[in-house]
Amino acid sequence: MDIATLIGFLVGLACVIVGVVADGGNFALFFNIPAVTIVVGGTIASTCIHFSAKQVLGVAAVMKKTMFCKLPAESDLIQKMVNYAAINRRDGALALERQVATAGDPFLVKAIRMVIDGQKEEAIEEQLALEIQYLQERHADGKKMLEFMGAGCPAFGMVGTLVGLVQMFSNMESPEKIGKGMAVALVCTFYGAFVANLFFIPLAGKLGMRSKGEVFLKQMLAEGILAIAAGESPTSVREVMQSFVSEHRRNDIKPSDNVRKAA
Amino acid sequence: MDIATLIGFLVGLACVIVGVVADGGNFALFFNIPAVTIVVGGTIASTCIHFSAKQVLGVAAVMKKTMFCKLPAESDLIQKMVNYAAINRRDGALALERQVATAGDPFLVKAIRMVIDGQKEEAIEEQLALEIQYLQERHADGKKMLEFMGAGCPAFGMVGTLVGLVQMFSNMESPEKIGKGMAVALVCTFYGAFVANLFFIPLAGKLGMRSKGEVFLKQMLAEGILAIAAGESPTSVREVMQSFVSEHRRNDIKPSDNVRKAA
Amino acid sequence: MDIATLIGFLVGLACVIVGVVADGGNFALFFNIPAVTIVVGGTIASTCIHFSAKQVLGVAAVMKKTMFCKLPAESDLIQKMVNYAAINRRDGALALERQVATAGDPFLVKAIRMVIDGQKEEAIEEQLALEIQYLQERHADGKKMLEFMGAGCPAFGMVGTLVGLVQMFSNMESPEKIGKGMAVALVCTFYGAFVANLFFIPLAGKLGMRSKGEVFLKQMLAEGILAIAAGESPTSVREVMQSFVSEHRRNDIKPSDNVRKAA
Amino acid sequence: MDIATLIGFLVGLACVIVGVVADGGNFALFFNIPAVTIVVGGTIASTCIHFSAKQVLGVAAVMKKTMFCKLPAESDLIQKMVNYAAINRRDGALALERQVATAGDPFLVKAIRMVIDGQKEEAIEEQLALEIQYLQERHADGKKMLEFMGAGCPAFGMVGTLVGLVQMFSNMESPEKIGKGMAVALVCTFYGAFVANLFFIPLAGKLGMRSKGEVFLKQMLAEGILAIAAGESPTSVREVMQSFVSEHRRNDIKPSDNVRKAA
Amino acid sequence: MDIATLIGFLVGLACVIVGVVADGGNFALFFNIPAVTIVVGGTIASTCIHFSAKQVLGVAAVMKKTMFCKLPAESDLIQKMVNYAAINRRDGALALERQVATAGDPFLVKAIRMVIDGQKEEAIEEQLALEIQYLQERHADGKKMLEFMGAGCPAFGMVGTLVGLVQMFSNMESPEKIGKGMAVALVCTFYGAFVANLFFIPLAGKLGMRSKGEVFLKQMLAEGILAIAAGESPTSVREVMQSFVSEHRRNDIKPSDNVRKAA
């Protein structure tokens, strides 16, 4: 998922560069600081008014994660949990302590900590469900914000173009000057349309897709953790987690092979 | 359904060609590689950002199927299942093995295999319901993607036109050159509007219509398979399947005729 | 309802003709075969892609019916059913056979036939409910298609205008020729806006309104037929049907008067 | 509510007049009969196609009522009902006959008549609930129609402008004539935007707000009428009705004062 | 929240000023009283037609509060309620009388008054729930109105531009005059787009976000008040209120520390 997003941006950018080269290749026209200021500044300003500063900063983190982090494979996560179950069975919950350091995912760390602390299954279940709900809300807020920005960008592009047109029309001396004014004014509209359609709008969609996938993985993990907390065997932990995975994908995992490695 | 879709594309294309001929017939103006690059490339790039690369490739297969494959007639499917029921009754489930090779539809092959394997009715029902649900989800994803592309196309058409206009306005030497620049710039808008309205938007609608039809046929097949698995007679298999078909269409099938052929 | 629709079309057309006359009255400009080809042809082509050819032909029938057929008055239908009830009571169900020929409405014909055949009340009720459901679905499909066409028309108007503009700009010799080119190009936009707003969009709305009215009448008829099938008296048939009609409209019908005519 | 609506129209009109005066004050340009014909005529024509002629006339009555009639104050209505309850208790239901003449509101007249006729409480309740439902449906239809007109107005403004532009471009002799043609053509767009945004769109909203308020008052009245029909005392009628009024507004009414006047 | 909103406005304004300076810096063009009259006056006029004058004035108060008032921190509110609980336990409900003067928030004042008056818990609960519901409705109305204004602003911007264009085109003497006319006309569109996108649209969103936050705080307060009315200890008041606060944020409050200060 990570690389596809980046490649998408680069391909989209390359297509526009091809268009610029084909029409004369005057790239300097498209580097216009005041136009960037109006479109990007205006969009960020209106987003700060709608959302809180904290949320605006939060979405940057979410976007970075969406663009650069790949979701782990289901089979890897299941294998990880099967390993934990084996350790738990063999050496007791306290032996999981060493695994926490390498777990990576804060959700998983928190879940394992609760198992080590010997919390009740109901408490763990409730807490993890709450965490998943917070995750969904953060994603939904991020998506809403990206959609708001995707709508604001073209609007501020138009605002910038109108600023340019008003000044150009009030001062029409030579056709050449008119043309230059028009070109500068239209760059704002270009920025608005380009950034919204290649960045904010598809990224809002991607966040929605990724949210689904991540929530699914977290729910699968929660099932596994609960089975471990109940002291179930590695084999039954695998079975519980696989009941979350569709029949289609089950074939990708070879149970006998993995259980042996975990045991 | 298949041919109607193709004819629709050809008629739409022909109408625009008539328009080009009537206005002077300069077709060369409308073959503009940079414009195609921006509109098609930009649309695909933003779709790759929103969806995963796997989904983008998947939709191509779905589109091909929608455009070139005709849904089988209900009466043919019912007749097929009645034949299978007769074979099952006469020669036992194992005799269906030879039919699998000619069944064609992977859904039907999978269903018959489960009957041959002697799986329980509940297991078959659950499994087929799951398959139908996956089918619906794949169709819904495909429709969403085509709609996203139908919205992205005109947007990147505008992006391309703005690229052309900015360069044209910055370099207005002669009226003729201005005209040429405008013409080239507007071709992008033309591509965006044309492709979206003759291709992506109606195809998204068609996928929705076809999804309904295909799900209906699959549900009818599932009813038939379950009846066969229960060892019912060809006549009662037909009856079970026809209860899925509306009263309107029932008249098209002549029961006595078909049962005789099946027996 | 029928005549109001036709008058609406004529008034809308007359208003635009007034506008043409006031601006110079050059009607020839607005008869442009290539423009009609692109706008109407493109709209029909994209509709054929979205819907099946069968549905496209079906909507023509629905549109004709919506524009030229008036819904019968409730009181007339109630009176008709009261007459049938009287005949049924006096001469038996078979005596209704002669009424079928003059019933006109296929729904009513089918319903009476079932009464004559002595089918069970439950079977008749189920069958008529199915017929009403099919009617609603046909209307809903028709409305969806008209709305799709109302959205496609302006889009193909723009496509046609862009075809004209691209060719005009690429060949700017004299101001007069530019003007002529612009005029021809804009006729497409005019067609798209005019046809969509005076034809497809309000007709989609009308179909929705009419569907409600027709379904109401059919439900009222179904109530009457069921009462007749149960062998109830003309008076109680009238009462059953009137329970479907709001208190507001009940005053329009004079029960004693009608019953006497029916008896 | 009545006067605010009128003032809104006048202020909106005044603002545009200020704009016209500031730009040169050539008012004659904005009185253009053909433009009015296309925009208003086209909007009405398409509305007649969508809705029935009866509904179009009905909405005029609803609009007049919305603009010129003020909703009565809650406290006045409660006081009225308390008075009726006192009369009913003191002189019997028949003594209410004289009050009917001065009741004004047809809903109230109908309700009192039912009390005088000695109808059962259940019958009165059902009948009044039906009346309120009809009122809501009429309002909802009116709102839908005004929204349809608010969308049709700018569309026919564009149709009119295109009619003007096509003729102007086909006959470009002098720059001055072009300018005049553009001015005339744009007046249609102006009409469409102005009428939709100052008239149909806010009026549709107002009808929605007013519908809520009127339904609330009618429900409060129905509660009071039912209490009177049950022969309750003026004090308990007031209490029943006030349970419909929010705690916020209750302070506006001084119970002791009013009961004394009513007794 | 307060300062972020103001900073957002200032940043947005600054960005546009940068754009003006970069394109020539003729600020006088953008101070155009008639344009302001049409855009702002028209928007307010249409809003007065849709909503009542009372609601329009109410939204001004809501906007002021949204822009300048910061929501109190949860921990501060919990601490306040814990203090009240301690006073109530130690000195009785009447001792809370002195706290009312410094409570500030009318919702809290009203709630404490009810505790002092010794009203029943059920009555207090019902009353506070009603107050919270009114708050939500006021916020929802305000949001709806701001969204209506955000849609009206660009529409009246277009109306103003059309007024300018019609007059300009009817009087085309010199290219310079045409330019000046265009500039003046486009200022209206600029106002509409700028005010809607930097003011009304994000402010409507902010009101929605703030409404959620404020309702949450009020519900937390209501829980605390009910616990105090039940005579519970400061510690259990804190616990009840914290059950409303997510696990994430609970760590910010140090229970032992606060309880000591409150005792």
Side-chain angles (χ1 to χ4, degrees):
Chain A
M1 270 185 180
D2 47 350
I3 296 174
T5 308
L6 264 178
I7 290 177
F9 288 135
L10 296 179
V11 168
L13 204 62
C15 288
V16 171
I17 289 171
V18 165
V20 174
V21 169
D23 286 352
N26 191 342
F27 282 103
L29 288 168
F30 295 92
F31 293 99
N32 188 329
I33 303 297
V36 173
T37 309
I38 292 184
V39 176
V40 175
T43 304
I44 291 175
S46 71
T47 310
C48 282
I49 297 172
H50 184 154
F51 299 90
S52 67
K54 202 174 141 195
Q55 284 175 306
V56 174
L57 295 176
V59 88
V62 166
M63 268 163 56
K64 207 181 66 188
K65 216 172 138 192
T66 306
M67 283 166 66
F68 296 105
C69 296
K70 211 176 151 69
L71 286 177
E74 285 159 18
S75 56
D76 291 354
L77 287 178
I78 293 178
Q79 188 49 44
K80 217 179 202 173
M81 299 307 290
V82 167
N83 288 344
Y84 291 167
I87 292 166
N88 186 39
R89 269 284 187 102
R90 204 174 44 204
D91 309 320
L94 288 178
L96 287 169
E97 186 72 46
R98 254 168 312 163
Q99 305 297 326
V100 167
T102 61
D105 179 6
F107 177 86
L108 191 50
V109 170
K110 188 163 192 177
I112 296 174
R113 281 260 152 75
M114 287 192 290
V115 173
I116 297 170
D117 294 353
Q119 291 194 22
K120 279 184 193 157
E121 272 178 75
E122 290 79 39
I124 297 176
E125 186 166 14
E126 195 182 295
Q127 183 69 14
L128 294 182
L130 208 64
E131 291 282 339
I132 290 171
Q133 190 194 318
Y134 285 137
L135 186 78
Q136 277 180 308
E137 281 172 13
R138 270 202 310 277
H139 284 162
D141 277 359
K143 191 172 180 229
K144 216 171 138 191
M145 200 187 299
L146 286 171
E147 282 168 352
F148 183 80
M149 291 171 122
C153 242
F156 281 98
M158 203 180 85
V159 166
T161 295
L162 287 166
V163 166
L165 288 181
V166 166
Q167 303 214 48
M168 182 210 82
F169 277 121
S170 73
N171 189 15
M172 303 205 310
E173 281 162 24
S174 64
E176 204 183 313
K177 210 172 165 184
I178 293 171
K180 283 271 186 312
M182 282 295 285
V184 170
L186 286 176
V187 166
C188 283
T189 304
F190 165 75
Y191 279 170
F194 182 64
V195 175
N197 284 292
L198 195 66
F199 198 79
F200 291 124
I201 294 172
L203 221 54
K206 165 126 253 157
L207 193 49
M209 309 288 295
R210 193 187 162 91
S211 178
K212 255 193 203 165
E214 201 167 335
V215 164
F216 173 77
L217 289 181
K218 293 282 187 271
Q219 285 171 331
M220 196 185 68
L221 274 183
E223 289 291 313
I225 283 287
L226 289 172
I228 292 174
E232 295 194 14
S233 72
T235 312
S236 77
V237 164
R238 178 185 305 284
E239 266 166 28
V240 160
M241 292 182 77
Q242 280 176 341
S243 78
F244 250 74
V245 184
S246 74
E247 299 296 307
H248 270 193
R249 308 176 189 150
R250 190 184 283 174
N251 305 327
D252 299 339
I253 314 165
K254 295 166 205 99
S256 56
D257 178 20
N258 285 335
V259 173
R260 245 176 289 142
K261 276 197 281 183
Chain B
M1 270 186 181
D2 47 348
I3 296 174
T5 307
L6 264 178
I7 290 177
F9 287 135
L10 297 179
V11 168
L13 204 61
C15 288
V16 171
I17 289 171
V18 166
V20 173
V21 170
D23 286 353
N26 191 343
F27 282 101
L29 287 168
F30 294 92
F31 293 99
N32 188 329
I33 303 296
V36 173
T37 309
I38 292 184
V39 176
V40 175
T43 304
I44 291 175
S46 71
T47 310
C48 282
I49 297 172
H50 183 155
F51 299 89
S52 66
K54 202 173 141 195
Q55 283 176 306
V56 173
L57 295 176
V59 89
V62 166
M63 268 163 56
K64 207 181 65 187
K65 217 172 138 193
T66 307
M67 284 167 65
F68 295 106
C69 296
K70 211 176 151 70
L71 285 177
E74 285 159 17
S75 56
D76 291 354
L77 287 179
I78 293 179
Q79 188 50 43
K80 217 179 201 174
M81 300 306 290
V82 167
N83 288 343
Y84 291 167
I87 292 166
N88 186 39
R89 270 285 187 101
R90 203 172 46 204
D91 310 320
L94 289 176
L96 286 170
E97 187 71 47
R98 254 168 311 164
Q99 305 297 325
V100 167
T102 60
D105 179 6
F107 177 86
L108 191 51
V109 170
K110 188 163 192 176
I112 296 173
R113 282 260 152 76
M114 286 191 289
V115 173
I116 296 170
D117 294 353
Q119 290 193 23
K120 280 183 193 159
E121 272 178 75
E122 290 79 40
I124 297 176
E125 186 166 13
E126 196 183 294
Q127 182 70 13
L128 294 183
L130 208 64
E131 291 281 340
I132 290 171
Q133 191 195 315
Y134 285 137
L135 187 78
Q136 277 181 308
E137 282 172 14
R138 269 202 311 277
H139 283 162
D141 277 359
K143 191 172 179 228
K144 215 172 138 192
M145 200 188 298
L146 286 171
E147 282 168 352
F148 182 80
M149 290 171 122
C153 241
F156 280 98
M158 204 180 85
V159 166
T161 295
L162 286 165
V163 166
L165 288 181
V166 166
Q167 303 214 46
M168 182 210 82
F169 278 122
S170 73
N171 190 14
M172 303 204 310
E173 283 163 22
S174 64
E176 205 183 312
K177 210 173 165 183
I178 293 171
K180 283 271 186 312
M182 283 295 285
V184 169
L186 286 177
V187 165
C188 283
T189 304
F190 165 75
Y191 279 170
F194 182 64
V195 175
N197 284 291
L198 195 66
F199 200 78
F200 291 124
I201 295 172
L203 222 53
K206 165 126 253 156
L207 193 49
M209 309 288 294
R210 192 186 164 92
S211 178
K212 256 193 205 165
E214 201 168 335
V215 164
F216 173 77
L217 289 181
K218 294 281 187 272
Q219 284 171 331
M220 196 185 69
L221 274 182
E223 290 292 311
I225 283 288
L226 289 172
I228 292 174
E232 295 195 15
S233 72
T235 313
S236 77
V237 166
R238 178 185 304 284
E239 266 165 30
V240 161
M241 292 182 78
Q242 279 176 342
S243 78
F244 249 74
V245 185
S246 72
E247 299 296 308
H248 269 194
R249 308 175 190 152
R250 190 184 284 174
N251 304 327
D252 299 339
I253 314 165
K254 295 167 205 98
S256 56
D257 178 20
N258 285 336
V259 173
R260 248 176 287 143
K261 276 195 282 183
Chain C
M1 270 185 179
D2 47 348
I3 296 174
T5 307
L6 264 178
I7 290 177
F9 287 135
L10 296 179
V11 168
L13 204 61
C15 288
V16 171
I17 289 172
V18 165
V20 174
V21 170
D23 285 353
N26 191 344
F27 282 102
L29 287 168
F30 294 92
F31 292 99
N32 188 330
I33 302 297
V36 173
T37 309
I38 292 183
V39 175
V40 175
T43 305
I44 291 175
S46 70
T47 309
C48 282
I49 297 172
H50 183 155
F51 298 90
S52 66
K54 202 173 139 195
Q55 283 176 306
V56 173
L57 295 176
V59 89
V62 166
M63 267 163 57
K64 207 180 66 188
K65 218 172 136 190
T66 306
M67 283 167 67
F68 295 106
C69 296
K70 210 176 152 71
L71 286 177
E74 285 159 16
S75 56
D76 290 355
L77 287 178
I78 292 179
Q79 188 49 44
K80 218 178 201 173
M81 301 306 290
V82 168
N83 288 344
Y84 292 166
I87 292 166
N88 186 40
R89 269 287 186 99
R90 204 174 44 205
D91 309 319
L94 289 177
L96 286 170
E97 185 72 45
R98 255 169 310 163
Q99 305 297 326
V100 167
T102 60
D105 179 6
F107 177 86
L108 191 50
V109 171
K110 188 162 192 179
I112 295 174
R113 281 260 151 77
M114 287 192 289
V115 173
I116 296 170
D117 294 353
Q119 291 194 23
K120 280 185 193 158
E121 272 178 75
E122 290 78 39
I124 297 176
E125 186 166 12
E126 196 183 295
Q127 182 71 12
L128 294 183
L130 208 65
E131 291 281 340
I132 290 171
Q133 191 194 315
Y134 285 137
L135 187 78
Q136 277 181 308
E137 281 172 13
R138 270 201 312 276
H139 284 162
D141 277 358
K143 191 171 179 231
K144 215 171 137 190
M145 200 188 297
L146 286 172
E147 282 168 352
F148 182 79
M149 291 170 122
C153 242
F156 281 98
M158 203 179 86
V159 166
T161 295
L162 287 166
V163 167
L165 288 181
V166 167
Q167 303 215 46
M168 183 210 81
F169 278 122
S170 73
N171 189 16
M172 302 204 309
E173 283 163 22
S174 64
E176 205 182 312
K177 211 172 165 185
I178 293 171
K180 283 269 186 313
M182 283 295 286
V184 169
L186 287 177
V187 165
C188 283
T189 304
F190 165 74
Y191 278 169
F194 182 64
V195 175
N197 284 292
L198 195 66
F199 199 78
F200 291 124
I201 295 171
L203 222 54
K206 165 126 254 156
L207 193 49
M209 308 289 295
R210 192 185 163 94
S211 178
K212 255 192 204 166
E214 201 167 335
V215 164
F216 173 77
L217 289 181
K218 293 283 188 269
Q219 285 171 332
M220 196 185 68
L221 275 182
E223 289 292 312
I225 283 287
L226 288 172
I228 292 174
E232 295 195 13
S233 72
T235 313
S236 77
V237 166
R238 177 184 306 283
E239 265 165 27
V240 161
M241 293 181 78
Q242 280 176 341
S243 77
F244 250 76
V245 184
S246 72
E247 298 296 307
H248 269 195
R249 308 175 189 152
R250 190 184 284 175
N251 305 327
D252 299 338
I253 314 165
K254 294 168 206 99
S256 56
D257 178 18
N258 284 336
V259 173
R260 247 177 287 142
K261 275 196 283 182
Chain D
M1 270 184 180
D2 47 349
I3 296 174
T5 307
L6 265 178
I7 290 178
F9 287 134
L10 296 179
V11 168
L13 204 62
C15 288
V16 172
I17 289 172
V18 166
V20 174
V21 169
D23 285 353
N26 191 345
F27 282 102
L29 288 168
F30 295 91
F31 292 98
N32 187 329
I33 302 297
V36 173
T37 308
I38 292 183
V39 176
V40 175
T43 305
I44 292 175
S46 71
T47 310
C48 283
I49 297 171
H50 184 156
F51 299 89
S52 66
K54 203 174 137 193
Q55 282 176 308
V56 173
L57 295 175
V59 88
V62 165
M63 268 163 57
K64 208 182 66 188
K65 217 172 135 189
T66 305
M67 283 166 67
F68 296 106
C69 297
K70 210 177 152 72
L71 286 177
E74 285 158 17
S75 56
D76 291 355
L77 287 179
I78 292 179
Q79 188 49 44
K80 218 179 201 172
M81 300 306 290
V82 168
N83 288 344
Y84 292 167
I87 292 166
N88 187 39
R89 269 285 186 100
R90 203 173 45 205
D91 309 320
L94 289 178
L96 286 170
E97 186 72 44
R98 255 169 310 163
Q99 305 296 326
V100 167
T102 60
D105 179 6
F107 177 85
L108 190 51
V109 170
K110 188 163 191 177
I112 296 174
R113 281 260 152 77
M114 287 192 290
V115 173
I116 295 170
D117 293 353
Q119 291 194 22
K120 280 185 192 156
E121 272 178 74
E122 291 77 38
I124 296 176
E125 186 165 12
E126 195 183 293
Q127 182 70 14
L128 294 183
L130 208 65
E131 291 280 340
I132 290 171
Q133 191 195 315
Y134 286 137
L135 187 77
Q136 278 181 308
E137 282 173 12
R138 269 200 313 275
H139 284 163
D141 276 358
K143 190 170 181 232
K144 215 172 138 190
M145 200 188 298
L146 286 171
E147 282 168 353
F148 182 80
M149 290 170 122
C153 242
F156 280 98
M158 203 180 85
V159 167
T161 294
L162 287 165
V163 166
L165 288 181
V166 167
Q167 303 215 47
M168 183 210 81
F169 278 122
S170 72
N171 189 15
M172 303 204 310
E173 282 162 22
S174 65
E176 205 182 313
K177 211 171 163 184
I178 293 171
K180 283 270 185 311
M182 283 295 286
V184 169
L186 286 176
V187 165
C188 283
T189 304
F190 165 75
Y191 279 171
F194 182 64
V195 175
N197 284 292
L198 195 65
F199 199 78
F200 290 125
I201 295 172
L203 222 54
K206 165 127 253 156
L207 193 50
M209 309 289 295
R210 193 185 161 93
S211 178
K212 255 193 204 165
E214 202 167 335
V215 164
F216 172 77
L217 288 181
K218 293 282 187 269
Q219 284 171 331
M220 194 186 68
L221 274 182
E223 289 292 312
I225 283 287
L226 289 172
I228 292 175
E232 294 196 15
S233 72
T235 312
S236 77
V237 166
R238 177 184 306 282
E239 266 165 28
V240 161
M241 292 182 77
Q242 280 177 342
S243 77
F244 250 74
V245 184
S246 73
E247 298 297 306
H248 270 194
R249 307 175 190 151
R250 191 184 283 175
N251 305 327
D252 299 338
I253 315 165
K254 295 168 206 97
S256 56
D257 177 20
N258 285 336
V259 173
R260 248 175 286 142
K261 276 196 281 183
Chain E
M1 270 184 181
D2 46 350
I3 296 173
T5 308
L6 264 178
I7 290 177
F9 287 134
L10 296 180
V11 168
L13 204 61
C15 288
V16 171
I17 289 171
V18 165
V20 174
V21 169
D23 286 353
N26 191 344
F27 282 102
L29 287 168
F30 295 92
F31 292 99
N32 188 330
I33 303 296
V36 173
T37 309
I38 292 184
V39 176
V40 176
T43 304
I44 292 175
S46 72
T47 309
C48 282
I49 296 173
H50 184 154
F51 299 90
S52 66
K54 202 173 139 193
Q55 283 176 306
V56 173
L57 295 176
V59 88
V62 165
M63 268 162 56
K64 209 181 65 187
K65 216 172 138 191
T66 306
M67 283 166 66
F68 295 106
C69 296
K70 211 176 152 71
L71 286 177
E74 285 159 18
S75 56
D76 291 354
L77 287 179
I78 292 179
Q79 188 48 45
K80 216 178 201 173
M81 299 307 290
V82 168
N83 288 344
Y84 292 167
I87 292 167
N88 186 39
R89 269 286 186 100
R90 204 173 44 204
D91 309 320
L94 289 177
L96 287 169
E97 186 72 45
R98 255 168 309 164
Q99 306 296 326
V100 167
T102 61
D105 179 6
F107 178 85
L108 191 51
V109 171
K110 188 163 191 177
I112 296 174
R113 281 259 151 76
M114 287 192 290
V115 173
I116 296 170
D117 294 353
Q119 291 194 22
K120 278 184 193 158
E121 273 179 73
E122 291 79 38
I124 296 176
E125 186 166 13
E126 195 182 296
Q127 183 70 13
L128 294 182
L130 208 64
E131 290 281 340
I132 290 171
Q133 191 195 317
Y134 286 137
L135 187 77
Q136 278 180 308
E137 282 172 14
R138 270 201 311 276
H139 284 163
D141 276 359
K143 192 172 179 230
K144 217 172 137 190
M145 200 187 298
L146 286 172
E147 282 168 353
F148 182 80
M149 290 171 121
C153 242
F156 281 98
M158 203 180 85
V159 166
T161 295
L162 287 166
V163 166
L165 288 181
V166 167
Q167 303 215 46
M168 182 210 83
F169 278 121
S170 72
N171 190 14
M172 303 205 309
E173 280 162 24
S174 64
E176 205 183 312
K177 210 171 165 184
I178 293 171
K180 283 270 185 314
M182 282 295 285
V184 169
L186 286 176
V187 165
C188 283
T189 304
F190 165 74
Y191 278 171
F194 182 64
V195 175
N197 285 292
L198 194 66
F199 199 79
F200 291 125
I201 294 172
L203 222 53
K206 165 127 252 158
L207 194 49
M209 309 289 293
R210 193 186 162 92
S211 178
K212 256 193 203 164
E214 201 168 336
V215 164
F216 173 77
L217 289 181
K218 293 282 188 271
Q219 285 171 331
M220 195 186 68
L221 274 183
E223 289 292 312
I225 283 288
L226 288 172
I228 292 174
E232 295 195 15
S233 73
T235 312
S236 76
V237 165
R238 176 184 307 282
E239 266 165 28
V240 161
M241 293 182 78
Q242 280 176 340
S243 78
F244 250 74
V245 184
S246 74
E247 300 296 307
H248 271 192
R249 308 175 189 151
R250 191 184 283 175
N251 305 327
D252 299 338
I253 314 165
K254 296 166 204 100
S256 57
D257 178 20
N258 285 336
V259 173
R260 248 176 287 142
K261 275 196 282 182

